[in-house]
Amino acid sequence: MPDFNVGLIDILVLGGYLVLARLIPLWLTGAQEDADDFFLGGRNFVWPLIGFSLFATNMSGSSFVGLAGAGYNQGVSVYNYEWSAAVILIFFIFFILPFYLRSGVYTMPEFLEKRFDYRSRRVFSGINLFFNMFIDAAGALYAGALVFVLLFDVPLWAAVAGLAGLAAIISIFGGLEAVVISDTMQAVMLILGGSIVAVAAYGQLPSWQAVIDTAGAESLSVFKPADDPNMPWPGLFTGVLVVGTYFWTTNQLIVQRTLGARTMNHGRWGSIFAGFLKLPVLFFMILPGTMALVLYPDLSNPDMVFPVLVFDLLPVGLSGLVLAALVAAITSSIDSILNSASTLVTMDFVEPLYPDLSDRGIVLTGQVATGVALLVAILWAPQIRQFESLWGYLQSCLSYTTPPIVTTFVGGIFWARANRHGAFATLLLGVGLGAVFFVMNEIIGVFAIQFLYAAGISLVMSVLVLVGVSLATAPPPAEKTDELTWDVRYWHAETEELKALAWWQNYRYHSVLLVLCTAVILYFFA
């Protein structure tokens, strides 16, 4: 094990970056007094900002630490979560995003109210808030805190609180525009820091064959047997794509960036750009963990792979730069999560109760909600240490509880007969039973079902509830479906609109290129 001593130069590099990463976004955006500006950046984001922000928000501290740990513990099969995001984002921009932007909503729950009723809005908003605080924010804080506990010998709770405070500065005072600018800076740091570690790890290997011999050829394959405990190949369809569809198409934390797009095309281009940014994650986040099997074969905790690589392989200064990249990953996720939580509380609960509240009052409410969400995440984050690994905690939680959400959104957009009673029953029963199933299967051990298969079971049950309840009750009125359900006429209308654009501006060509790039990588790691 390396000596986790942080030199003065490392501290100066880290401190300098932290100051700049807080000051620059706040200086560029100024104080936010308008609700549209605070929660959606004035709906004026261009595609590079959207793409970088989507990537940085997704690549949180939990991903930085968790993906390397998963690469060490189970090989490159965890990459299925990354490449599948590219495919899901294509589905998103073709079939889902247009309805969100046309409806002019602030939140995903608000869209459910337009399509179904206020009950679904309240329930889903509560679910989203729970995920934001107990899964997204807590996971990111815990990941970063692990590293700071090692480096500075501070209590876990103190490291969690310190990182949370750094993130809160942007989200409380700057709003979504400052968050997106900050995310863009963090994304560059993420890619730079991960690449430095990957090159350093590869440089220490005697040969690539040593990785194959140590990890085994099967560890370098994305696709695993059906009985694999971590990533069975059927689980791609029963779990990975389901959880990914929730995350990239219905999660307020992610979709909020595209809701602030200047135009439909900027929303689409930004999403495609994020898909391209996800593909090289295999090389600078996952493979370094797998390569570490050769260099450090006896690590007891896979989540420590990343800090071990940083402080054993990098010289003073560079280790500080990569540490700054890790802090960038954590804070870019936390400030995004906090802004998402404040938007949900304010727009889904407070604003409907107090419709005459001024813009300043709405923004102030959002700032207070940010602080409360932060406190909850700080209190819960230390509890994650009870799970075997960070990545296992994140993915198993989502596998049980997100299929009903996916069923409600996708079913509502593609099936006009889905009604408000079916949606409400699916969300309430599906997520509630999923939580019970999670406790019985993952904690108590009553069952022994792999969590990606459990996601498939949950999806089937959710579809049955939505279809059964909807067919047993009255069909929805026309105003709930006419402009909010997909019809082939939209495809023909967009085809005509795209003729006015140059071919290199056509999102359909971008999508084909993204699919081809994904296929090439999968071919070499099949």
Short mmCIF file of all heavy atoms in Angstrom, two decimals, residues 64-123:
data_model
loop_
_atom_site.label_atom_id
_atom_site.label_comp_id
_atom_site.label_asym_id
_atom_site.label_seq_id
_atom_site.Cartn_x
_atom_site.Cartn_y
_atom_site.Cartn_z
N PHE A 64 -16.38 7.74 -10.21
CA PHE A 64 -14.92 7.79 -10.28
C PHE A 64 -14.32 6.69 -9.40
O PHE A 64 -13.43 5.94 -9.82
CB PHE A 64 -14.43 9.15 -9.80
CG PHE A 64 -13.34 9.74 -10.66
CD1 PHE A 64 -13.40 11.06 -11.06
CD2 PHE A 64 -12.27 8.98 -11.05
CE1 PHE A 64 -12.40 11.62 -11.85
CE2 PHE A 64 -11.26 9.52 -11.84
CZ PHE A 64 -11.33 10.84 -12.23
N VAL A 65 -14.80 6.59 -8.19
CA VAL A 65 -14.30 5.57 -7.26
C VAL A 65 -14.92 4.22 -7.54
O VAL A 65 -14.24 3.19 -7.57
CB VAL A 65 -14.58 6.01 -5.80
CG1 VAL A 65 -14.22 4.89 -4.82
CG2 VAL A 65 -13.81 7.27 -5.46
N GLY A 66 -16.24 4.20 -7.78
CA GLY A 66 -16.96 2.94 -7.93
C GLY A 66 -16.62 2.19 -9.20
O GLY A 66 -16.53 0.96 -9.18
N LEU A 67 -16.41 2.89 -10.33
CA LEU A 67 -16.10 2.20 -11.57
C LEU A 67 -14.72 1.56 -11.52
O LEU A 67 -14.52 0.44 -12.02
CB LEU A 67 -16.19 3.17 -12.75
CG LEU A 67 -17.61 3.54 -13.20
CD1 LEU A 67 -17.56 4.61 -14.28
CD2 LEU A 67 -18.37 2.32 -13.69
N ALA A 68 -13.74 2.25 -10.95
CA ALA A 68 -12.42 1.65 -10.80
C ALA A 68 -12.49 0.43 -9.89
O ALA A 68 -11.88 -0.61 -10.16
CB ALA A 68 -11.43 2.68 -10.24
N GLY A 69 -13.26 0.54 -8.81
CA GLY A 69 -13.43 -0.59 -7.90
C GLY A 69 -14.12 -1.76 -8.57
O GLY A 69 -13.75 -2.92 -8.37
N ALA A 70 -15.13 -1.46 -9.39
CA ALA A 70 -15.82 -2.53 -10.11
C ALA A 70 -14.91 -3.17 -11.14
O ALA A 70 -14.94 -4.39 -11.35
CB ALA A 70 -17.07 -1.97 -10.79
N GLY A 71 -14.06 -2.36 -11.80
CA GLY A 71 -13.10 -2.91 -12.74
C GLY A 71 -12.13 -3.86 -12.07
O GLY A 71 -11.70 -4.86 -12.65
N TYR A 72 -11.75 -3.55 -10.84
CA TYR A 72 -10.85 -4.40 -10.05
C TYR A 72 -11.57 -5.68 -9.61
O TYR A 72 -11.01 -6.78 -9.65
CB TYR A 72 -10.38 -3.63 -8.83
CG TYR A 72 -9.36 -4.33 -7.96
CD1 TYR A 72 -7.99 -4.17 -8.21
CD2 TYR A 72 -9.75 -5.13 -6.89
CE1 TYR A 72 -7.05 -4.78 -7.41
CE2 TYR A 72 -8.82 -5.76 -6.09
CZ TYR A 72 -7.46 -5.58 -6.35
OH TYR A 72 -6.53 -6.21 -5.55
N ASN A 73 -12.82 -5.53 -9.20
CA ASN A 73 -13.55 -6.62 -8.57
C ASN A 73 -14.22 -7.56 -9.57
O ASN A 73 -14.29 -8.77 -9.33
CB ASN A 73 -14.62 -6.03 -7.64
CG ASN A 73 -15.18 -7.04 -6.68
OD1 ASN A 73 -14.45 -7.88 -6.16
ND2 ASN A 73 -16.47 -6.98 -6.43
N GLN A 74 -14.70 -7.03 -10.70
CA GLN A 74 -15.46 -7.86 -11.64
C GLN A 74 -15.07 -7.69 -13.09
O GLN A 74 -15.73 -8.24 -13.98
CB GLN A 74 -16.96 -7.58 -11.46
CG GLN A 74 -17.38 -6.17 -11.84
CD GLN A 74 -18.79 -5.85 -11.42
OE1 GLN A 74 -19.12 -5.84 -10.24
NE2 GLN A 74 -19.66 -5.59 -12.40
N GLY A 75 -14.02 -6.91 -13.39
CA GLY A 75 -13.60 -6.74 -14.77
C GLY A 75 -14.38 -5.65 -15.48
O GLY A 75 -15.05 -4.83 -14.87
N VAL A 76 -14.33 -5.69 -16.81
CA VAL A 76 -14.87 -4.58 -17.60
C VAL A 76 -16.37 -4.71 -17.87
O VAL A 76 -16.94 -3.88 -18.57
CB VAL A 76 -14.12 -4.46 -18.95
CG1 VAL A 76 -12.64 -4.22 -18.73
CG2 VAL A 76 -14.36 -5.67 -19.83
N SER A 77 -17.01 -5.73 -17.34
CA SER A 77 -18.44 -5.91 -17.62
C SER A 77 -19.28 -4.74 -17.11
O SER A 77 -20.38 -4.48 -17.62
CB SER A 77 -18.96 -7.22 -17.01
OG SER A 77 -18.81 -7.21 -15.60
N VAL A 78 -18.77 -4.01 -16.13
CA VAL A 78 -19.49 -2.84 -15.63
C VAL A 78 -19.63 -1.77 -16.71
O VAL A 78 -20.47 -0.87 -16.60
CB VAL A 78 -18.76 -2.27 -14.38
CG1 VAL A 78 -17.46 -1.59 -14.77
CG2 VAL A 78 -19.66 -1.32 -13.61
N TYR A 79 -18.86 -1.89 -17.78
CA TYR A 79 -18.95 -0.94 -18.89
C TYR A 79 -20.33 -0.97 -19.56
O TYR A 79 -20.71 -0.04 -20.26
CB TYR A 79 -17.86 -1.24 -19.93
CG TYR A 79 -17.80 -0.28 -21.08
CD1 TYR A 79 -17.59 1.08 -20.89
CD2 TYR A 79 -17.96 -0.74 -22.40
CE1 TYR A 79 -17.53 1.95 -21.96
CE2 TYR A 79 -17.89 0.14 -23.48
CZ TYR A 79 -17.68 1.49 -23.25
OH TYR A 79 -17.61 2.36 -24.31
N ASN A 80 -21.07 -2.03 -19.32
CA ASN A 80 -22.42 -2.10 -19.89
C ASN A 80 -23.27 -0.91 -19.46
O ASN A 80 -24.16 -0.48 -20.21
CB ASN A 80 -23.10 -3.41 -19.48
CG ASN A 80 -22.54 -4.61 -20.23
OD1 ASN A 80 -22.54 -4.65 -21.45
ND2 ASN A 80 -22.03 -5.58 -19.50
N TYR A 81 -23.03 -0.39 -18.27
CA TYR A 81 -23.78 0.78 -17.82
C TYR A 81 -23.40 2.03 -18.61
O TYR A 81 -24.19 2.97 -18.69
CB TYR A 81 -23.54 1.03 -16.33
CG TYR A 81 -24.17 0.01 -15.42
CD1 TYR A 81 -23.41 -0.98 -14.83
CD2 TYR A 81 -25.54 0.04 -15.17
CE1 TYR A 81 -24.00 -1.92 -13.99
CE2 TYR A 81 -26.13 -0.89 -14.33
CZ TYR A 81 -25.35 -1.87 -13.74
OH TYR A 81 -25.94 -2.80 -12.92
N GLU A 82 -22.19 2.04 -19.16
CA GLU A 82 -21.70 3.23 -19.86
C GLU A 82 -22.12 3.25 -21.33
O GLU A 82 -22.68 4.22 -21.81
CB GLU A 82 -20.17 3.31 -19.73
CG GLU A 82 -19.66 3.20 -18.30
CD GLU A 82 -20.36 4.17 -17.35
OE1 GLU A 82 -20.44 5.36 -17.68
OE2 GLU A 82 -20.82 3.71 -16.29
N TRP A 83 -21.84 2.15 -22.05
CA TRP A 83 -22.21 2.16 -23.47
C TRP A 83 -23.72 2.16 -23.66
O TRP A 83 -24.23 2.75 -24.64
CB TRP A 83 -21.57 1.00 -24.23
CG TRP A 83 -22.12 -0.37 -23.93
CD1 TRP A 83 -21.57 -1.32 -23.13
CD2 TRP A 83 -23.32 -0.97 -24.47
NE1 TRP A 83 -22.34 -2.46 -23.11
CE2 TRP A 83 -23.42 -2.27 -23.93
CE3 TRP A 83 -24.31 -0.53 -25.35
CZ2 TRP A 83 -24.47 -3.13 -24.24
CZ3 TRP A 83 -25.37 -1.38 -25.66
CH2 TRP A 83 -25.44 -2.66 -25.11
N SER A 84 -24.43 1.53 -22.75
CA SER A 84 -25.90 1.52 -22.88
C SER A 84 -26.47 2.93 -22.76
O SER A 84 -27.54 3.22 -23.33
CB SER A 84 -26.53 0.60 -21.83
OG SER A 84 -26.27 1.08 -20.52
N ALA A 85 -25.77 3.81 -22.04
CA ALA A 85 -26.24 5.19 -21.92
C ALA A 85 -26.30 5.85 -23.30
O ALA A 85 -27.21 6.64 -23.57
CB ALA A 85 -25.31 5.98 -21.00
N ALA A 86 -25.34 5.55 -24.17
CA ALA A 86 -25.34 6.14 -25.51
C ALA A 86 -26.59 5.71 -26.28
O ALA A 86 -27.24 6.53 -26.94
CB ALA A 86 -24.07 5.72 -26.26
N VAL A 87 -26.93 4.44 -26.18
CA VAL A 87 -28.12 3.92 -26.88
C VAL A 87 -29.39 4.54 -26.31
O VAL A 87 -30.31 4.93 -27.04
CB VAL A 87 -28.16 2.39 -26.79
CG1 VAL A 87 -29.44 1.85 -27.42
CG2 VAL A 87 -26.93 1.78 -27.45
N ILE A 88 -29.45 4.62 -24.99
CA ILE A 88 -30.65 5.18 -24.33
C ILE A 88 -30.82 6.66 -24.67
O ILE A 88 -31.94 7.13 -24.87
CB ILE A 88 -30.56 4.96 -22.81
CG1 ILE A 88 -30.66 3.47 -22.49
CG2 ILE A 88 -31.65 5.73 -22.07
CD1 ILE A 88 -30.24 3.12 -21.08
N LEU A 89 -29.72 7.39 -24.75
CA LEU A 89 -29.81 8.82 -25.09
C LEU A 89 -30.35 9.01 -26.51
O LEU A 89 -31.05 9.99 -26.79
CB LEU A 89 -28.45 9.49 -24.93
CG LEU A 89 -28.06 9.81 -23.48
CD1 LEU A 89 -26.58 10.17 -23.37
CD2 LEU A 89 -28.92 10.95 -22.94
N ILE A 90 -30.04 8.09 -27.40
CA ILE A 90 -30.60 8.16 -28.75
C ILE A 90 -32.12 7.96 -28.69
O ILE A 90 -32.89 8.72 -29.31
CB ILE A 90 -29.95 7.10 -29.65
CG1 ILE A 90 -28.47 7.46 -29.89
CG2 ILE A 90 -30.70 6.99 -30.98
CD1 ILE A 90 -27.69 6.39 -30.62
N PHE A 91 -32.55 6.97 -27.93
CA PHE A 91 -33.99 6.75 -27.72
C PHE A 91 -34.64 8.00 -27.12
O PHE A 91 -35.73 8.42 -27.53
CB PHE A 91 -34.18 5.54 -26.81
CG PHE A 91 -35.59 5.34 -26.32
CD1 PHE A 91 -36.56 4.83 -27.16
CD2 PHE A 91 -35.93 5.67 -25.02
CE1 PHE A 91 -37.86 4.64 -26.71
CE2 PHE A 91 -37.23 5.49 -24.56
CZ PHE A 91 -38.20 4.98 -25.42
N PHE A 92 -33.95 8.61 -26.18
CA PHE A 92 -34.45 9.79 -25.50
C PHE A 92 -34.70 10.94 -26.46
O PHE A 92 -35.77 11.57 -26.46
CB PHE A 92 -33.44 10.20 -24.41
CG PHE A 92 -33.75 11.50 -23.71
CD1 PHE A 92 -34.90 11.64 -22.97
CD2 PHE A 92 -32.86 12.56 -23.78
CE1 PHE A 92 -35.19 12.83 -22.32
CE2 PHE A 92 -33.13 13.75 -23.13
CZ PHE A 92 -34.30 13.89 -22.40
N ILE A 93 -33.73 11.25 -27.32
CA ILE A 93 -33.87 12.42 -28.19
C ILE A 93 -34.86 12.18 -29.33
O ILE A 93 -35.45 13.11 -29.85
CB ILE A 93 -32.51 12.90 -28.74
CG1 ILE A 93 -31.90 11.85 -29.67
CG2 ILE A 93 -31.57 13.27 -27.61
CD1 ILE A 93 -30.66 12.32 -30.38
N PHE A 94 -35.05 10.90 -29.70
CA PHE A 94 -36.00 10.60 -30.75
C PHE A 94 -37.44 10.65 -30.24
O PHE A 94 -38.33 11.21 -30.90
CB PHE A 94 -35.72 9.21 -31.33
CG PHE A 94 -34.76 9.21 -32.48
CD1 PHE A 94 -33.40 9.30 -32.26
CD2 PHE A 94 -35.20 9.10 -33.79
CE1 PHE A 94 -32.49 9.28 -33.31
CE2 PHE A 94 -34.31 9.08 -34.85
CZ PHE A 94 -32.95 9.18 -34.61
N PHE A 95 -37.68 10.07 -29.06
CA PHE A 95 -39.06 9.79 -28.66
C PHE A 95 -39.54 10.48 -27.39
O PHE A 95 -40.74 10.61 -27.18
CB PHE A 95 -39.24 8.28 -28.47
CG PHE A 95 -38.97 7.48 -29.71
CD1 PHE A 95 -37.85 6.67 -29.79
CD2 PHE A 95 -39.83 7.55 -30.79
CE1 PHE A 95 -37.59 5.92 -30.93
CE2 PHE A 95 -39.58 6.80 -31.94
CZ PHE A 95 -38.46 5.98 -32.01
N ILE A 96 -38.63 10.91 -26.51
CA ILE A 96 -39.05 11.43 -25.21
C ILE A 96 -38.86 12.94 -25.08
O ILE A 96 -39.78 13.68 -24.71
CB ILE A 96 -38.28 10.73 -24.06
CG1 ILE A 96 -38.37 9.21 -24.20
CG2 ILE A 96 -38.81 11.19 -22.72
CD1 ILE A 96 -39.75 8.64 -24.01
N LEU A 97 -37.66 13.42 -25.40
CA LEU A 97 -37.33 14.83 -25.22
C LEU A 97 -38.32 15.78 -25.90
O LEU A 97 -38.69 16.81 -25.30
CB LEU A 97 -35.91 15.10 -25.70
CG LEU A 97 -35.43 16.55 -25.60
CD1 LEU A 97 -35.42 17.02 -24.14
CD2 LEU A 97 -34.03 16.71 -26.21
N PRO A 98 -38.77 15.51 -27.12
CA PRO A 98 -39.70 16.45 -27.76
C PRO A 98 -40.94 16.74 -26.93
O PRO A 98 -41.41 17.89 -26.89
CB PRO A 98 -40.06 15.74 -29.08
CG PRO A 98 -38.86 14.90 -29.38
CD PRO A 98 -38.39 14.42 -28.05
N PHE A 99 -41.47 15.73 -26.24
CA PHE A 99 -42.67 15.95 -25.43
C PHE A 99 -42.36 16.80 -24.20
O PHE A 99 -43.18 17.62 -23.79
CB PHE A 99 -43.27 14.60 -25.02
CG PHE A 99 -43.83 13.82 -26.18
CD1 PHE A 99 -43.11 12.78 -26.74
CD2 PHE A 99 -45.04 14.16 -26.74
CE1 PHE A 99 -43.60 12.07 -27.81
CE2 PHE A 99 -45.56 13.46 -27.82
CZ PHE A 99 -44.83 12.41 -28.37
N TYR A 100 -41.19 16.61 -23.62
CA TYR A 100 -40.82 17.43 -22.47
C TYR A 100 -40.70 18.89 -22.84
O TYR A 100 -41.20 19.78 -22.15
CB TYR A 100 -39.47 16.94 -21.90
CG TYR A 100 -39.50 15.59 -21.24
CD1 TYR A 100 -38.30 14.92 -20.96
CD2 TYR A 100 -40.69 14.96 -20.88
CE1 TYR A 100 -38.30 13.69 -20.34
CE2 TYR A 100 -40.69 13.72 -20.27
CZ TYR A 100 -39.48 13.08 -20.00
OH TYR A 100 -39.48 11.86 -19.39
N LEU A 101 -39.99 19.17 -23.95
CA LEU A 101 -39.75 20.55 -24.33
C LEU A 101 -41.02 21.24 -24.83
O LEU A 101 -41.24 22.42 -24.55
CB LEU A 101 -38.64 20.62 -25.38
CG LEU A 101 -37.25 20.20 -24.90
CD1 LEU A 101 -36.22 20.38 -26.01
CD2 LEU A 101 -36.83 20.99 -23.67
N ARG A 102 -41.85 20.51 -25.55
CA ARG A 102 -43.10 21.11 -26.02
C ARG A 102 -44.03 21.45 -24.86
O ARG A 102 -44.81 22.41 -24.93
CB ARG A 102 -43.81 20.16 -26.99
CG ARG A 102 -43.12 19.98 -28.33
CD ARG A 102 -43.99 19.20 -29.29
NE ARG A 102 -43.23 18.75 -30.45
CZ ARG A 102 -42.97 17.49 -30.73
NH1 ARG A 102 -43.43 16.52 -29.95
NH2 ARG A 102 -42.27 17.17 -31.80
N SER A 103 -43.98 20.66 -23.80
CA SER A 103 -44.90 20.88 -22.68
C SER A 103 -44.46 22.05 -21.80
O SER A 103 -45.26 22.56 -21.01
CB SER A 103 -44.99 19.61 -21.82
OG SER A 103 -43.75 19.31 -21.22
N GLY A 104 -43.19 22.48 -21.91
CA GLY A 104 -42.70 23.63 -21.15
C GLY A 104 -42.62 23.41 -19.65
O GLY A 104 -42.69 24.37 -18.88
N VAL A 105 -42.40 22.17 -19.22
CA VAL A 105 -42.39 21.86 -17.78
C VAL A 105 -41.05 22.22 -17.14
O VAL A 105 -40.02 22.33 -17.81
CB VAL A 105 -42.71 20.37 -17.53
CG1 VAL A 105 -44.11 20.04 -18.02
CG2 VAL A 105 -41.67 19.47 -18.20
N TYR A 106 -41.09 22.40 -15.81
CA TYR A 106 -39.87 22.58 -15.01
C TYR A 106 -39.33 21.25 -14.51
O TYR A 106 -38.13 21.09 -14.31
CB TYR A 106 -40.17 23.46 -13.79
CG TYR A 106 -40.21 24.94 -14.06
CD1 TYR A 106 -41.39 25.57 -14.42
CD2 TYR A 106 -39.06 25.73 -13.93
CE1 TYR A 106 -41.44 26.94 -14.65
CE2 TYR A 106 -39.09 27.09 -14.15
CZ TYR A 106 -40.29 27.70 -14.51
OH TYR A 106 -40.33 29.05 -14.75
N THR A 107 -40.25 20.30 -14.24
CA THR A 107 -39.85 19.04 -13.60
C THR A 107 -40.50 17.86 -14.30
O THR A 107 -41.53 17.98 -14.96
CB THR A 107 -40.25 19.01 -12.11
OG1 THR A 107 -41.68 18.92 -12.01
CG2 THR A 107 -39.73 20.22 -11.38
N MET A 108 -39.89 16.68 -14.09
CA MET A 108 -40.48 15.44 -14.60
C MET A 108 -41.82 15.14 -13.93
O MET A 108 -42.76 14.71 -14.61
CB MET A 108 -39.50 14.28 -14.39
CG MET A 108 -38.20 14.39 -15.21
SD MET A 108 -38.52 14.39 -16.98
CE MET A 108 -38.68 16.13 -17.31
N PRO A 109 -41.96 15.32 -12.63
CA PRO A 109 -43.29 15.12 -12.03
C PRO A 109 -44.36 16.04 -12.62
O PRO A 109 -45.52 15.64 -12.75
CB PRO A 109 -43.04 15.43 -10.55
CG PRO A 109 -41.60 15.09 -10.33
CD PRO A 109 -40.92 15.51 -11.61
N GLU A 110 -43.97 17.26 -12.98
CA GLU A 110 -44.94 18.17 -13.60
C GLU A 110 -45.44 17.61 -14.92
O GLU A 110 -46.62 17.76 -15.27
CB GLU A 110 -44.29 19.55 -13.81
CG GLU A 110 -45.25 20.60 -14.34
CD GLU A 110 -44.56 21.92 -14.62
OE1 GLU A 110 -43.35 22.05 -14.34
OE2 GLU A 110 -45.25 22.84 -15.12
N PHE A 111 -44.56 16.94 -15.67
CA PHE A 111 -44.99 16.30 -16.91
C PHE A 111 -46.01 15.20 -16.63
O PHE A 111 -46.99 15.04 -17.38
CB PHE A 111 -43.79 15.72 -17.66
CG PHE A 111 -44.16 15.00 -18.92
CD1 PHE A 111 -44.42 15.71 -20.09
CD2 PHE A 111 -44.28 13.62 -18.95
CE1 PHE A 111 -44.79 15.06 -21.26
CE2 PHE A 111 -44.65 12.96 -20.11
CZ PHE A 111 -44.91 13.67 -21.26
N LEU A 112 -45.81 14.45 -15.55
CA LEU A 112 -46.77 13.41 -15.20
C LEU A 112 -48.14 14.01 -14.88
O LEU A 112 -49.18 13.40 -15.17
CB LEU A 112 -46.28 12.59 -14.00
CG LEU A 112 -45.17 11.58 -14.28
CD1 LEU A 112 -44.92 10.73 -13.03
CD2 LEU A 112 -45.50 10.69 -15.47
N GLU A 113 -48.16 15.19 -14.28
CA GLU A 113 -49.45 15.83 -14.00
C GLU A 113 -50.15 16.21 -15.31
O GLU A 113 -51.38 16.04 -15.44
CB GLU A 113 -49.29 17.06 -13.12
CG GLU A 113 -50.63 17.72 -12.81
CD GLU A 113 -50.52 18.85 -11.80
OE1 GLU A 113 -49.42 19.42 -11.66
OE2 GLU A 113 -51.53 19.15 -11.15
N LYS A 114 -49.38 16.71 -16.27
CA LYS A 114 -49.98 17.07 -17.54
C LYS A 114 -50.52 15.83 -18.27
O LYS A 114 -51.59 15.88 -18.90
CB LYS A 114 -48.95 17.78 -18.43
CG LYS A 114 -48.63 19.21 -18.00
CD LYS A 114 -47.60 19.83 -18.92
CE LYS A 114 -47.33 21.29 -18.55
NZ LYS A 114 -48.46 22.18 -18.87
N ARG A 115 -49.79 14.72 -18.16
CA ARG A 115 -50.22 13.50 -18.85
C ARG A 115 -51.26 12.71 -18.04
O ARG A 115 -52.18 12.10 -18.62
CB ARG A 115 -49.00 12.60 -19.11
CG ARG A 115 -49.31 11.24 -19.72
CD ARG A 115 -49.99 11.35 -21.07
NE ARG A 115 -50.28 10.03 -21.63
CZ ARG A 115 -51.37 9.32 -21.36
NH1 ARG A 115 -52.30 9.83 -20.56
NH2 ARG A 115 -51.55 8.14 -21.91
N PHE A 116 -51.15 12.72 -16.71
CA PHE A 116 -52.06 11.93 -15.87
C PHE A 116 -52.84 12.83 -14.90
O PHE A 116 -53.88 13.36 -15.23
CB PHE A 116 -51.29 10.85 -15.13
CG PHE A 116 -50.63 9.85 -16.04
CD1 PHE A 116 -49.24 9.76 -16.14
CD2 PHE A 116 -51.40 9.00 -16.83
CE1 PHE A 116 -48.64 8.85 -16.98
CE2 PHE A 116 -50.80 8.08 -17.69
CZ PHE A 116 -49.42 8.01 -17.77
N ASP A 117 -52.29 13.04 -13.69
CA ASP A 117 -52.95 13.94 -12.73
C ASP A 117 -51.97 14.33 -11.62
O ASP A 117 -50.82 13.88 -11.61
CB ASP A 117 -54.23 13.33 -12.15
CG ASP A 117 -53.97 12.09 -11.30
OD1 ASP A 117 -52.79 11.75 -11.05
OD2 ASP A 117 -54.95 11.44 -10.87
N TYR A 118 -52.46 15.15 -10.69
CA TYR A 118 -51.59 15.68 -9.63
C TYR A 118 -51.09 14.59 -8.69
O TYR A 118 -50.03 14.73 -8.07
CB TYR A 118 -52.34 16.75 -8.84
CG TYR A 118 -53.42 16.21 -7.93
CD1 TYR A 118 -53.16 15.91 -6.60
CD2 TYR A 118 -54.70 15.96 -8.41
CE1 TYR A 118 -54.13 15.38 -5.77
CE2 TYR A 118 -55.68 15.45 -7.60
CZ TYR A 118 -55.40 15.15 -6.27
OH TYR A 118 -56.37 14.62 -5.46
N ARG A 119 -51.85 13.48 -8.54
CA ARG A 119 -51.42 12.42 -7.63
C ARG A 119 -50.10 11.81 -8.08
O ARG A 119 -49.18 11.60 -7.27
CB ARG A 119 -52.49 11.33 -7.54
CG ARG A 119 -53.83 11.79 -6.97
CD ARG A 119 -54.83 10.64 -7.03
NE ARG A 119 -54.98 10.12 -8.39
CZ ARG A 119 -55.60 8.99 -8.70
NH1 ARG A 119 -56.13 8.23 -7.74
NH2 ARG A 119 -55.71 8.59 -9.96
N SER A 120 -50.00 11.51 -9.37
CA SER A 120 -48.75 10.95 -9.90
C SER A 120 -47.61 11.94 -9.75
O SER A 120 -46.46 11.56 -9.49
CB SER A 120 -48.93 10.57 -11.38
OG SER A 120 -49.85 9.52 -11.51
N ARG A 121 -47.93 13.22 -9.93
CA ARG A 121 -46.90 14.25 -9.77
C ARG A 121 -46.34 14.24 -8.36
O ARG A 121 -45.11 14.24 -8.17
CB ARG A 121 -47.47 15.63 -10.10
CG ARG A 121 -46.46 16.77 -9.91
CD ARG A 121 -47.05 18.12 -10.27
NE ARG A 121 -46.05 19.17 -10.20
CZ ARG A 121 -46.27 20.43 -10.56
NH1 ARG A 121 -47.45 20.80 -11.04
NH2 ARG A 121 -45.31 21.34 -10.46
N ARG A 122 -47.21 14.24 -7.36
CA ARG A 122 -46.75 14.28 -5.97
C ARG A 122 -45.96 13.02 -5.61
O ARG A 122 -44.90 13.09 -4.97
CB ARG A 122 -47.94 14.42 -5.02
CG ARG A 122 -48.78 15.66 -5.20
CD ARG A 122 -48.05 16.94 -4.79
NE ARG A 122 -49.00 18.05 -4.72
CZ ARG A 122 -49.41 18.76 -5.76
NH1 ARG A 122 -48.98 18.46 -6.97
NH2 ARG A 122 -50.26 19.77 -5.59
N VAL A 123 -46.47 11.87 -6.00
CA VAL A 123 -45.80 10.61 -5.65
C VAL A 123 -44.42 10.55 -6.30
O VAL A 123 -43.42 10.23 -5.63
CB VAL A 123 -46.66 9.40 -6.08
CG1 VAL A 123 -45.85 8.10 -5.96
CG2 VAL A 123 -47.91 9.31 -5.23
#
